[in-house]
Every structure is written in structure tokens, then in C-alpha cells.
Amino acid sequence: YPDLRPAFRECFRVLRPGGHLVFDTMRWSPLWWDSRRWGGRNYPVSDDQARRWLGETGFVVEEVRGLFPIGPYLLGAAPSILAKMILASKSVVPGALQAVALWHVRKES
């Protein structure tokens, strides 16, 4: 979704105080030109934008880390040996440069 605020508001509404939410965001994607072929439209969201939306909603960010060095559609389309090499490179690619971010946030008690 291009705007995650409605989803964040609903998650905030249904979570108990102190509850946790884990989700991922696409930081960047080269697939804007061929999104239909590769699994649908991608809506990259910067970490700063996601933090603003989460803050507006009332969530506290516990942790953000890189999840995939490249998008999962490209990773899935790569030959197995190449996909394994890309995943192995995850430890040398700084988390902030990885294509997909994994978020852990909490609703304050």
C-alpha cells in the first residue's frame, strides 16, 4: 500500500497495551517498470516515512533491521545457487541498504 497509516491505526486499535507488531516494508525496488510480472505493484517506503507514520499512530519502534538484500520476487526468480549467494551477502550489506526492512514495534502500556 502506498500509505500504511490506515493499517497501522487498525493494528494499534486491536493490540492490547504493551502488544507487539512485526511487519516488513520495501525500502527500494527496481521492479517499478514491470510490477505486474513480478508479483504486483511495489510501494517503497523510506525508514524515515515509516517512523513518522508509526509515531503519528502511537507505536514505539523497538527494532528495525534488514531482512532481504534484494526484493523477494527477484530473489525467488534467481537460480538457487545465486539466491543462496545473495542471502549469504546479507551479513556484509549494511541493514539500511537492504531492500526489505523488518520492523518490531510496540503499543505503549
Side-chain angles (χ1 to χ4, degrees):
Y1 301 98
D3 185 343
L4 297 174
R5 286 176 290 192
F8 291 157
R9 283 193 293 267
E10 182 62 10
C11 290
F12 190 86
R13 185 186 72 77
V14 300
L15 276 173
R16 293 181 180 147
H20 297 261
L21 173 65
V22 176
F23 64 95
D24 64 56
T25 57
M26 179 71 71
R27 288 177 170 148
W28 59 267
S29 173
L31 300 180
W32 61 269
W33 51 269
D34 197 12
S35 59
R36 196 170 298 215
R37 179 175 169 211
W38 292 97
R41 178 97 168 110
N42 288 292
Y43 294 100
V45 176
S46 72
D47 287 0
D48 289 340
Q49 181 64 66
R51 282 181 192 281
R52 279 192 297 278
W53 288 341
L54 289 161
E56 290 171 14
T57 307
F59 280 110
V60 174
V61 176
E62 294 285 327
E63 182 181 11
V64 182
R65 69 168 98 165
L67 184 59
F68 292 112
I70 66 170
Y73 298 118
L74 285 176
L75 192 61
S80 178
I81 189 73
L82 180 58
K84 288 178 184 178
M85 289 170 51
I86 291 168
L87 286 174
S89 76
K90 182 177 183 237
S91 62
V92 296
V93 175
L97 298 179
Q98 294 188 26
V100 179
L102 178 66
W103 293 79
H104 170 207
V105 300
R106 175 179 46 83
K107 180 177 179 177
E108 285 196 293
S109 332

